[in-house]
Amino acid sequence: MKKYNLSKTIGIVLGTLMVVTSFGYGFLYVVGTSLGNALGSNVDRTGTDILSIGIILCVCILGIITGIGCFGLKFKGLRMAYLGFCLIMGIAFLVIYFISIGSLGTKYEVWILFMGIIYFLLGYFVKKER
């Protein structure tokens, strides 16, 4: 069962990394909004809370799909769907990188570019290994 070993390893690591990152950002978001409320902020954040939590939840779900999806690579249909998912995620991260050049800071922009490259690499290994 050595087939797709590298793809599974990269998929599990990338999925775990995305889930942990979403939990970390979610924790920081809750702490930040709680401190803002505790210090007497009068800003109504109901609309932005739902949007922010939705984005964090989407990142967590995409990480789960990345981690679990690599176990279905032995089936041709799931392999093609996972390959398409990896390519779409790689393109999305590259688009986000080019949109955010100069606005997020070098560390975050390099991280977004790195994630896009890793998704493309994962897609390449899924396509290459037969």
Side-chain angles (χ1 to χ4, degrees):
M1 204 58 196
K2 296 282 184 182
K3 208 171 183 183
Y4 299 107
N5 198 19
L6 184 60
S7 300
K8 288 180 183 178
T9 304
I10 292 173
I12 291 170
V13 168
L14 192 60
T16 305
L17 191 63
M18 286 182 68
V19 169
V20 168
T21 302
S22 69
F23 282 138
Y25 278 127
F27 175 73
L28 290 176
Y29 179 76
V30 168
V31 168
T33 54
S34 299
L35 284 174
N37 291 334
L39 294 175
S41 174
N42 293 329
V43 177
D44 183 27
R45 295 190 165 277
T46 307
T48 58
D49 283 344
I50 294 171
L51 181 64
S52 300
I53 291 172
I55 291 171
I56 291 169
L57 186 63
C58 284
V59 170
C60 184
I61 289 171
L62 291 173
I64 290 171
I65 291 172
T66 302
I68 292 176
C70 63
F71 291 108
L73 294 177
K74 60 184 174 182
F75 305 110
K76 185 175 181 175
L78 291 176
R79 185 172 54 244
M80 289 299 127
Y82 192 68
L83 175 64
F85 172 75
C86 290
L87 292 178
I88 289 172
M89 289 296 292
I91 291 169
F93 273 113
L94 285 180
V95 167
I96 291 170
Y97 168 74
F98 286 120
I99 288 173
S100 68
I101 289 178
S103 63
L104 295 177
T106 307
K107 182 171 60 170
Y108 294 115
E109 290 169 0
V110 169
W111 180 251
I112 291 171
L113 180 64
F114 175 72
M115 292 291 283
I117 291 170
I118 293 297
Y119 266 108
F120 279 130
L121 189 66
L122 179 60
Y124 172 73
F125 285 131
V126 166
K127 179 71 174 162
K128 186 184 105 173
E129 295 178 24
R130 292 182 189 241

